Amino acid sequence: MAKKRQETKPPKRKTADTGDVHVEDVMDTKVKKKKIKVEAPIQMQTDEEKTMKKKKKQTQEQTEKTSLIKISDSTCGTEGKHEPDGEEDLSPEERRVLERKLKKILKKEEKKRLKEEGKTAPKTKPSEPIAPQQALDYLTCWAQNRKEWKFQKTRQTWLLQHIFNSEKIPDEKFPVLLQYVEGLRGGARDTTVQKALALVEESGQAPEDGTVQQRAQRAREVIQLLS
């Protein structure tokens, strides 16, 4: 008789849900712990690096400032004075660059000091326009010292632009300017005549405007001279 085959029962399986959930929870907990352990040192290292970089930058600026002061002192010293070691090899251009850096550093420190004291740096007053004075000096030199006088197109352009304006060119300077204008040639002469004609025509439309009439009077003199 054939032996009865022994029926093998399949091994009991653990509940998938319970086992999986348990394993996943354990794994998640381990991963979270690893993350916490790894992230904390990284953050501390980053802060430390920032501090080290800041200290390094301050040390570098202080070293550069000391070097610049030495160079500045050696540059301003008397002839024959021995220069600091290592600085005698610098070219004049390199010295100028270092001196400019020194000025910027000193200016920055001055602003910082004033800010800490609750003060503000004094504002420099805007310089007065020098173009009018330079143009009038140019005209005076032409009239009184012709040997030293040199033609300057910029000065002439300014004079011709304001020739009819008594506020820019005083009445005592206008006769001299007429003499100068008499020698004009080419486009400058033609343009000046056209402006004068336009002002005379404008004066007819504004007979009560004193400024317009004053400019028109100058324009008539220019037209009479150049026509």
Side-chain angles (χ1 to χ4, degrees), residues 60-102:
Q60 186 177 359
E61 288 180 353
Q62 185 64 30
T63 305
E64 186 178 5
K65 179 184 173 183
T66 305
S67 176
L68 289 171
I69 292 173
K70 288 181 180 179
I71 295 171
S72 178
D73 292 343
S74 65
T75 304
C76 298
T78 57
E79 294 182 2
K81 184 179 178 180
H82 179 67
E83 295 179 347
D85 296 337
E87 305 299 345
E88 60 272 9
D89 297 333
L90 293 176
S91 64
E93 181 61 28
E94 289 173 335
R95 283 180 177 276
R96 285 193 291 269
V97 172
L98 291 174
E99 286 174 2
R100 285 196 293 268
K101 287 184 178 180
L102 175 60

Side-chain angles (χ1 to χ4, degrees), residues 5-215:
R5 295 179 180 177
Q6 293 180 355
E7 294 180 358
T8 56
K9 295 182 180 180
K12 293 183 179 180
R13 295 180 180 177
K14 294 181 179 180
T15 335
D17 292 344
T18 308
D20 292 346
V21 171
H22 177 68
V23 173
E24 288 178 0
D25 289 344
V26 172
M27 292 299 293
D28 289 345
T29 305
K30 289 182 178 180
V31 170
K32 287 179 180 179
K33 287 182 179 179
K34 285 183 178 180
K35 285 184 179 179
I36 293 172
K37 290 180 180 180
V38 172
E39 286 177 0
I42 290 175
Q43 183 63 32
M44 291 175 62
Q45 187 177 4
T46 304
D47 294 339
E48 186 177 354
E49 286 179 354
K50 288 181 179 179
T51 306
M52 292 298 293
K53 286 181 179 179
K54 187 175 180 181
K55 289 182 178 179
K56 186 177 179 181
K57 186 178 179 182
Q58 291 175 350
T59 305
Q60 186 177 359
E61 288 180 353
Q62 185 64 30
T63 305
E64 186 178 5
K65 179 184 173 183
T66 305
S67 176
L68 289 171
I69 292 173
K70 288 181 180 179
I71 295 171
S72 178
D73 292 343
S74 65
T75 304
C76 298
T78 57
E79 294 182 2
K81 184 179 178 180
H82 179 67
E83 295 179 347
D85 296 337
E87 305 299 345
E88 60 272 9
D89 297 333
L90 293 176
S91 64
E93 181 61 28
E94 289 173 335
R95 283 180 177 276
R96 285 193 291 269
V97 172
L98 291 174
E99 286 174 2
R100 285 196 293 268
K101 287 184 178 180
L102 175 60
K103 288 181 181 179
K104 288 182 180 179
I105 291 174
L106 294 176
K107 188 175 181 181
K108 185 177 180 181
E109 289 185 351
E110 180 66 15
K111 285 184 178 179
K112 185 178 179 181
R113 184 182 65 81
L114 291 173
K115 187 176 181 181
E116 289 176 353
E117 293 177 358
K119 300 178 182 179
T120 55
K123 296 182 179 179
T124 55
K125 295 182 179 179
S127 58
E128 296 180 357
I130 58 175
Q133 188 59 47
Q134 288 178 342
L136 294 175
D137 291 343
Y138 167 81
L139 183 63
T140 302
C141 182
W142 174 84
Q144 299 178 0
N145 194 358
R146 195 69 61 90
K147 291 182 180 180
E148 298 294 331
W149 174 85
K150 291 182 181 179
F151 173 74
Q152 297 182 39
K153 188 175 181 180
T154 305
R155 306 290 174 250
Q156 176 176 290
T157 300
W158 190 93
L159 290 170
L160 296 180
Q161 285 178 346
H162 303 91
I163 186 173
F164 308 111
N165 190 339
S166 60
E167 294 181 358
K168 299 288 185 179
I169 301 176
D171 291 336
E172 60 269 18
K173 294 288 184 179
F174 185 66
V176 181
L177 183 54
L178 282 178
Q179 295 176 15
Y180 181 89
V181 168
E182 190 177 6
L184 291 177
R185 296 291 181 270
R189 186 184 184 96
D190 296 338
T191 302
T192 303
V193 172
Q194 290 174 4
K195 287 183 178 180
L197 292 172
L199 279 173
V200 172
E201 184 179 353
E202 182 184 352
S203 65
Q205 300 174 0
E208 297 180 357
D209 192 328
T211 303
V212 172
Q213 295 302 320
Q214 181 271 332
R215 294 187 180 188

